[in-house]
Amino acid sequence: MAAFSRTELSEGLRIALAALKANRMRTLLTTLGIFIGVIVVTVIISVIQGLNHYVSSEFSSLGANTMYVSKFPWIIRSWEEFLKYQGRKDITEKHYRLLVKNATLAEAVAPDLGTNRTVKYRTESLNNVYITGTTEAYLSCANTVPETGRFFSDSDVDLNRAVCVIGWEVKDKLFKGEDPIDRRVKIGGQPFTVVGVMEKRGNMFGQSMDATAYIPYTAFQKMYGSRRSLDIQIKAADPEKTDALVDQVTGIMRQARGLTPGKPDDFAINQQSQIMDVYNQMTRTLWIVLIGIGSISLLVGGIGIMNIMMVSVSERTREIGIRKAIGAKKRVILWQFLMESIVISGLGVTIGILISLGIALLIRAVSPIPVYISTYVLFLGVGFTLTIGLFFGIYPASKAARLDPIVALRYE
Amino acid sequence: MLIDLQNVVKDYAIGSEVIHALRGINMKIEKNEYMAIMGPSGSGKSTLMNILGCLDTPSSGAYRLNAKNVGSMDDDRLAEIRNREIGFVFQNFNLLPRASALHNVELPLIYNGTPPAERRANAEKALIRVGLQDRMTHRPNELSGGQRQRVAVARALVNNPSIILADEPTGNLDTRTGDEIMELFETLHDQGNTIILVTHEEYIAEHSDRIVRLRDGKVERDEAT
């Protein structure tokens, strides 16, 4: 096919626009299918991207290089599995001490006991404060520091002192501007001296990380009993060697638990990446389903365009005849009608993207998910436009181009 | 010689039946002739006009236009020939309803890639020639029948074609307006254009210098008026 002249191209576009302008309502209705399809696809892509962003940023406070040795794995798929894990022997202080001594690839090893209790200061009280029993190594595992005062030391832990570090929200709600350092609070009825306040940590999955208090794990065990299973947080010294650390910890734990080779582990090593894997699996399914829905509505929209183009071609048979009689070649007529279908689908895609932008802004305003429409969605839009316009426009356009001018001129 | 038809035959198949629309036409037309083609319906005059206008090609025989064998050309080459060599004037005007008079006249120039400025100038000149200098921006529905036909004539003229082919140009016009259009053809003929009229009205045909009468797909009579 010979190249188009610029006059031919611009005339094609001019005719297409004029024809669409003459049938405004029809054009708008035809674009409906396309723009709904575009909205579905772009909003889904943007929401999933936003969700990914949100989830991974929430998880980042868990620490990518920190693992958690516990009795239960984070992901339990059935009640039977739960019962099996329930029957495992507890993780104890003995294991913690062995890991501190032998896990040479670890930067920090911290015990982690937790429960919810009420914290009181004079007449003020705050319910459901998450109490963590741990050691100073917790700071490097959780990648946080006290804002004022200090964290309790290893000697506080060894001597089982009744000291605590309170979370930012606890300070805010109980002390109301008063300096909490060296004040006495009651945690679950027991008196503790505040030695520090943690920096603000924000939320994780809607849970405040600031309505917390930290006490020496020895004190925790004294208060709530030493016969509960321990979690042990371990941070890799070198992020690159996280996997090697997992192997080392597994070895130490298996030996301590007296497992002979071939027996399965009776403990879990939990990592952020495992939850990310499950999350990714879930969103993958979501992707497929919703992209399916989007594609179907685009297909329906495309068929709508094809239909209206067939109408347009038959309505304008006479016009095609006139144009051919005075010298329009096949490709000129083809281009004219292709242009029309591309403009319709372009209009649909544009409206779709604009509405999607609005929806994205709305979601961002009312939810914590940072939805945004990335530039590649716009490129995708241009791609869609051309594909749909060309694919569904080519048949009606070539029908127009092949019309016999004599027959077309006689058409009433 | 401008046009040379040698034993032109046109057959159509309609279902299983073959219709012999033209059964061997021989005709020569010189430059600056003013000729009319007449004949009752079914005589083949529409078919002949389509072939002369390069809208259709003969089943057999030769059609030479300016020494080029038009009968063997493909659709796109024919479109080019129509664009350059032939100016059509139809009974029902066949203007684009949504385009201005000027744009209608520009159309043939658009299809041969004339640059916009030149295109506009030529189209304006053609409209002035047919006396529509103050109707250029009007749309066909804002013009009278006679004015519409003048726009069509201007469109036929704008490319300086070899032939102006007019198919019942006065068929949709009242007598007075029809006479005006015929006067316009007269003037164009005097200016050196070749004009072929297709009509079934004797008094219209009498404007020409030569009348070819068709019957049953053959030339019955070919005589000067």
Side-chain angles (χ1 to χ4, degrees):
Chain A
M1 194 189 265
F4 287 101
S5 74
R6 251 183 53 203
T7 328
E8 282 171 356
L9 292 180
S10 61
E11 174 70 3
L13 183 61
R14 205 197 61 81
I15 297 165
L17 292 176
L20 297 175
K21 229 174 97 184
N23 293 303
R24 277 200 195 89
M25 193 62 190
R26 189 169 90 183
T27 305
L28 204 67
L29 288 175
T30 309
T31 61
L32 206 67
I34 297 290
F35 81 66
I36 290 175
V38 169
I39 290 171
V40 173
V41 172
T42 50
V43 169
I44 290 164
I45 292 175
S46 308
V47 167
I48 292 182
Q49 279 182 335
L51 216 57
N52 287 347
H53 192 81
Y54 172 70
V55 167
S56 56
S57 75
E58 291 287 299
F59 269 121
S60 68
S61 50
L62 274 179
N65 312 316
T66 303
M67 60 195 72
Y68 299 76
V69 179
S70 27
K71 190 165 146 180
F72 291 96
W74 281 345
I75 297 144
I76 299 174
R77 290 186 171 80
S78 69
W79 179 243
E80 285 73 26
E81 263 189 37
F82 174 80
L83 290 178
K84 191 179 90 194
Y85 300 137
Q86 176 87 332
R88 285 173 167 178
K89 284 185 287 180
D90 286 346
I91 310 277
T92 65
E93 207 178 326
K94 178 186 93 178
H95 301 117
Y96 159 63
R97 294 201 184 285
L98 274 172
L99 285 169
V100 170
K101 205 171 104 194
N102 297 329
T104 51
L105 294 173
E107 179 190 307
V109 179
D112 184 351
L113 288 159
T115 187
N116 283 309
R117 285 291 184 276
T118 301
V119 179
K120 282 184 185 161
Y121 174 64
R122 290 186 182 147
T123 55
E124 301 291 334
S125 85
L126 189 62
N127 290 329
N128 268 326
V129 177
Y130 190 77
I131 313 299
T132 302
T134 187
T135 65
E136 202 170 5
Y138 179 90
L139 294 182
S140 60
C141 289
N143 200 18
T144 181
V145 286
E147 187 184 63
T148 52
R150 62 179 179 90
F151 207 78
F152 41 82
S153 64
D154 285 346
S155 69
D156 290 325
V157 174
D158 291 341
L159 298 172
N160 191 2
R161 286 196 181 115
V163 289
C164 72
V165 180
I166 57 176
W168 192 88
E169 194 178 326
V170 176
K171 178 201 85 172
D172 196 46
K173 295 254 168 73
L174 295 187
F175 289 91
K176 310 206 189 285
E178 199 181 327
D179 182 10
I181 305 294
D182 291 334
R183 304 282 167 201
R184 299 193 108 204
V185 292
K186 281 193 168 163
I187 299 175
Q190 305 280 328
F192 281 83
T193 306
V194 177
V195 294
V197 179
M198 296 305 287
E199 64 179 353
K200 202 169 183 174
R201 292 179 73 187
N203 289 349
M204 181 156 87
F205 299 114
Q207 278 273 32
S208 169
M209 304 265 285
D210 296 312
T212 51
Y214 305 85
I215 59 176
Y217 83 96
T218 45
F220 192 104
Q221 282 179 327
K222 198 175 121 202
M223 273 167 70
Y224 307 116
S226 56
R227 298 201 40 149
R228 51 163 72 206
S229 188
L230 214 61
D231 283 353
I232 302 164
Q233 292 190 21
I234 304 169
K235 185 183 188 184
D238 179 354
E240 306 277 299
K241 290 188 181 148
T242 307
D243 290 341
L245 177 57
V246 171
D247 290 344
Q248 193 180 45
V249 168
T250 308
I252 295 167
M253 287 299 291
R254 285 183 69 87
Q255 203 188 8
R257 313 271 273 188
L259 297 175
T260 50
K263 278 200 166 177
D265 292 348
D266 61 352
F267 55 90
I269 298 176
N270 293 311
Q271 281 176 282
Q272 180 214 72
S273 60
Q274 292 164 342
I275 294 189
M276 284 308 282
D277 286 348
V278 171
Y279 166 79
N280 286 335
Q281 252 174 36
M282 273 163 44
T283 50
R284 206 160 18 239
T285 319
L286 205 68
W287 264 110
I288 293 167
V289 170
L290 296 178
I291 293 297
I293 295 173
S295 316
I296 290 170
S297 49
L298 284 174
L299 182 74
V300 172
I303 293 170
I305 289 187
M306 184 143 118
N307 183 46
I308 216 69
M309 288 309 299
M310 298 297 280
V311 172
S312 180
V313 169
S314 84
E315 271 180 358
R316 289 153 73 196
T317 302
R318 200 184 178 84
E319 178 194 319
I320 296 165
I322 298 171
R323 288 179 186 277
K324 285 195 137 187
I326 60 177
K329 293 181 185 153
K330 278 184 181 162
R331 60 156 197 255
V332 173
I333 304 290
L334 186 83
W335 168 253
Q336 171 189 336
F337 283 93
L338 266 187
M339 206 56 218
E340 195 173 318
S341 67
I342 290 172
V343 170
I344 296 181
S345 69
L347 203 64
V349 172
T350 310
I351 298 175
I353 286 179
L354 289 178
I355 296 182
S356 302
L357 270 169
I359 295 179
L361 289 175
L362 194 73
I363 294 180
R364 196 149 61 174
V366 302
S367 82
I369 303 167
V371 178
Y372 56 94
I373 298 210
S374 43
T375 40
Y376 91 83
V377 171
L378 300 179
F379 286 113
L380 217 63
V382 176
F384 273 140
T385 306
L386 290 175
T387 316
I388 296 169
L390 285 175
F391 186 80
F392 291 97
I394 197 89
Y395 176 68
S398 68
K399 210 181 139 188
R402 283 197 317 260
L403 277 175
D404 179 348
I406 299 171
V407 177
L409 276 172
R410 227 182 279 141
Y411 188 88
E412 291 300 327
Chain B
M1 190 172 319
L2 183 62
I3 287 174
D4 184 6
L5 295 183
Q6 278 174 14
N7 203 23
V8 166
V9 171
K10 184 70 188 180
D11 299 327
Y12 293 110
I14 295 182
S16 58
E17 209 180 335
V18 177
I19 294 186
H20 305 287
L22 298 178
R23 299 164 186 259
I25 303 275
N26 290 292
M27 191 190 289
K28 293 185 193 335
I29 303 170
E30 300 289 344
K31 200 168 165 8
N32 199 21
E33 273 200 64
Y34 188 177
M35 188 188 100
I37 297 172
M38 295 198 70
S41 57
S43 61
K45 68 180 183 320
S46 296
T47 309
L48 181 58
M49 194 210 75
N50 288 339
I51 288 177
L52 285 173
C54 296
L55 288 164
D56 207 349
T57 50
S59 306
S60 69
Y63 171 21
R64 288 204 180 72
L65 174 63
N66 276 330
K68 278 174 286 195
N69 189 354
V70 177
S72 60
M73 287 179 177
D74 67 13
D75 289 355
D76 280 353
R77 283 286 291 139
L78 285 174
E80 247 169 66
I81 296 286
R82 288 197 295 271
N83 183 268
R84 298 233 167 86
E85 311 283 359
I86 295 159
F88 287 100
V89 178
F90 299 96
Q91 177 174 359
N92 47 15
F93 323 129
N94 277 341
L95 299 173
L96 297 184
R98 281 195 294 269
S100 68
L102 189 66
H103 190 82
N104 267 294
V105 178
E106 275 185 272
L107 214 54
L109 301 173
I110 287 170
Y111 291 135
N112 64 25
T114 308
E118 194 184 329
R119 199 163 83 197
R120 201 185 164 85
N122 288 354
E124 281 174 359
K125 239 185 279 170
L127 281 165
I128 292 167
R129 271 177 85 181
V130 300
L132 286 179
Q133 48 281 358
D134 48 4
R135 290 284 184 278
M136 292 191 187
T137 56
H138 289 58
R139 288 178 174 202
N141 63 2
E142 298 161 338
L143 298 172
S144 71
Q147 287 170 332
R148 286 183 214 183
Q149 198 58 303
R150 283 168 190 272
V151 174
V153 172
R155 183 180 64 186
L157 280 176
V158 73
N159 250 344
N160 286 320
S162 303
I163 326 166
I164 292 172
L165 198 56
D167 181 13
E168 304 278 10
T170 59
N172 276 357
L173 303 174
D174 60 55
T175 318
R176 203 177 59 83
T177 326
D179 287 344
E180 281 170 25
I181 293 294
M182 293 320 293
E183 268 167 46
L184 183 57
F185 281 126
E186 209 100 29
T187 316
L188 294 176
H189 177 230
D190 293 344
Q191 288 167 353
N193 288 287
T194 311
I195 297 170
I196 302 175
L197 277 179
V198 177
T199 183
H200 61 268
E201 306 231 46
E202 207 67 42
Y203 79 95
I204 295 294
E206 271 158 15
H207 286 269
S208 70
D209 302 333
R210 172 187 172 190
I211 300 179
V212 173
R213 293 175 199 274
L214 296 187
R215 183 172 290 276
D216 299 330
K218 285 186 169 165
V219 176
E220 190 187 38
R221 263 191 294 163
D222 183 347
E223 58 193 3
T225 52

